[in-house]
Amino acid sequence: ILTENNNTQQFIKQLAEREGVSEEKIKEIIIDSFRKSYCEGENSGAELHFEFDSGLSIYRLYKIVEAINEPEKEITKDNKLLKEGKIKGNNFFLPLDIKNLSISLNQEIKNRLRKDEVREKATEDNPQIILTRSDDLFIRKLLEQEIPQIKAGIIAIHDILRLPGLVSKVIVERGKVAMEKGLRLDPAGTCIGEEGEKAKSVSRLIYPERIDFADWTEDKKKLLPKLLSPVKLIKLNIKKEEE
């Protein structure tokens, strides 16, 4: 039994060591247990404040107001109860008699830890898989699947510029394998395929999102028009970044 006369810190430390968990975990269970015990019936909606020192102090927390709208959380500044607690700013802390709230925590802690262990085991045995189509990695893996030259390293994806659900601009270049073997090819054209067959195949999988390919070049005046296609640029001015 935990009461205000016990050495709370020692009690928590011993329980934590015995159960092989952190002291914070034990405190969390103690707080939850007392809240469940007190905050029911006419005390439903009450807010509690806990202080752990040599003993455990539990207070019911009220906000000091001119007029009460929420009786379970508010108290007027002329209420006689204010003499029985402590005031900090606009908050009033009414000490609760722990003897009336005391509960046996040993079984409560065991039950709680057992439930947590079951949840953790369930998570380990049944890992969650989160699927998203908005990550660039989704497009990258899809291209590797649909375009053999990318998977083989003949063509490399330099970058992907994407507005998920609208359009993906994929910048491609000769891959490591192509450079090692001295292969000459048109990376973007290869990805698009004859009559756009490969590009259409990928687009069908991410419909209504459209996918476009552009060859990588360090020349921004050549690269930007490709990325902005089908928009036709009339004039392009590139300002140098100021140091």
Side-chain angles (χ1 to χ4, degrees):
I1 302 294
L2 177 65
T3 69
E4 55 193 350
N5 295 322
N6 291 124
N7 187 323
T8 307
Q9 294 295 351
Q10 184 178 353
F11 175 83
I12 291 172
K13 184 177 181 180
Q14 290 174 348
L15 272 177
E17 290 176 352
R18 189 188 73 191
E19 300 296 337
V21 296
S22 68
E23 293 182 21
E24 290 303 315
K25 184 70 174 179
I26 299 298
K27 288 182 182 180
E28 178 187 323
I29 296 173
I30 291 173
I31 290 172
D32 285 348
S33 299
F34 277 116
R35 277 187 174 145
K36 288 177 182 177
S37 175
Y38 182 82
C39 299
E40 57 183 17
E42 62 180 13
N43 294 322
S44 178
E47 292 187 14
L48 299 182
H49 173 74
F50 295 79
E51 292 182 1
F52 292 88
D53 38 47
S54 58
L56 170 64
S57 299
I58 305 178
Y59 299 86
R60 180 160 179 171
L61 179 61
Y62 291 89
K63 186 176 181 181
I64 302 173
V65 296
E66 294 288 341
I68 294 177
N69 293 316
E70 297 180 281
E72 69 279 3
K73 296 180 180 180
E74 297 174 337
I75 190 171
T76 55
K77 58 184 179 181
D78 58 351
N79 195 302
K80 294 180 180 180
L81 273 178
L82 295 179
K83 296 179 181 179
E84 299 181 19
K86 57 183 182 180
I87 299 173
K88 289 184 181 179
N90 291 326
N91 293 321
F92 170 60
F93 298 83
L94 177 66
L96 299 180
D97 187 355
I98 295 182
K99 292 177 182 178
N100 294 330
L101 294 176
S102 295
I103 56 177
S104 178
L105 289 172
N106 285 336
Q107 193 59 42
E108 184 74 20
I109 289 171
K110 284 183 179 180
N111 292 340
R112 173 70 177 272
L113 291 176
R114 191 178 297 115
K115 288 180 182 178
D116 289 347
E117 184 180 350
V118 169
R119 280 198 294 267
E120 289 175 7
K121 186 175 181 181
T123 302
E124 292 172 1
D125 295 342
N126 303 288
Q128 290 184 331
I129 299 176
I130 300 175
L131 301 177
T132 175
R133 294 167 62 96
S134 62
D135 196 293
D136 290 351
L137 184 60
F138 170 73
I139 295 295
R140 188 177 292 271
K141 292 298 182 182
L142 193 60
L143 292 173
E144 290 177 1
Q145 174 185 301
E146 296 297 316
I147 302 175
Q149 292 87 344
I150 292 179
K151 187 174 183 179
I154 296 172
I155 295 174
I157 298 173
H158 181 84
D159 201 359
I160 298 175
L161 307 176
R162 191 175 181 219
L163 290 174
L166 296 176
V167 63
S168 284
K169 299 283 184 175
V170 183
I171 305 172
V172 292
E173 59 186 336
R174 286 201 307 159
K176 185 177 180 181
V177 173
M179 289 188 287
E180 288 176 350
K181 294 184 177 182
L183 300 178
R184 299 179 65 84
L185 72 158
D186 173 11
T190 302
C191 291
I192 293 170
E194 287 188 31
E195 298 182 356
E197 181 182 345
K198 291 181 181 177
K200 290 176 183 177
S201 174
V202 175
S203 292
R204 280 194 292 269
L205 295 173
I206 58 174
Y207 180 83
E209 188 171 330
R210 189 181 80 253
I211 191 162
D212 295 329
F213 295 90
D215 289 320
W216 164 247
T217 173
E218 293 184 358
D219 188 337
K220 294 180 181 178
K221 288 187 177 181
K222 291 182 179 179
L223 179 62
L224 289 175
K226 294 178 182 179
L227 294 177
L228 294 173
S229 176
V231 175
K232 292 184 179 180
L233 294 179
I234 298 175
K235 188 177 182 181
L236 177 63
N237 291 323
I238 300 177
K239 294 183 179 180
K240 293 183 179 180
E241 294 183 4
E242 297 181 1
E243 295 184 359

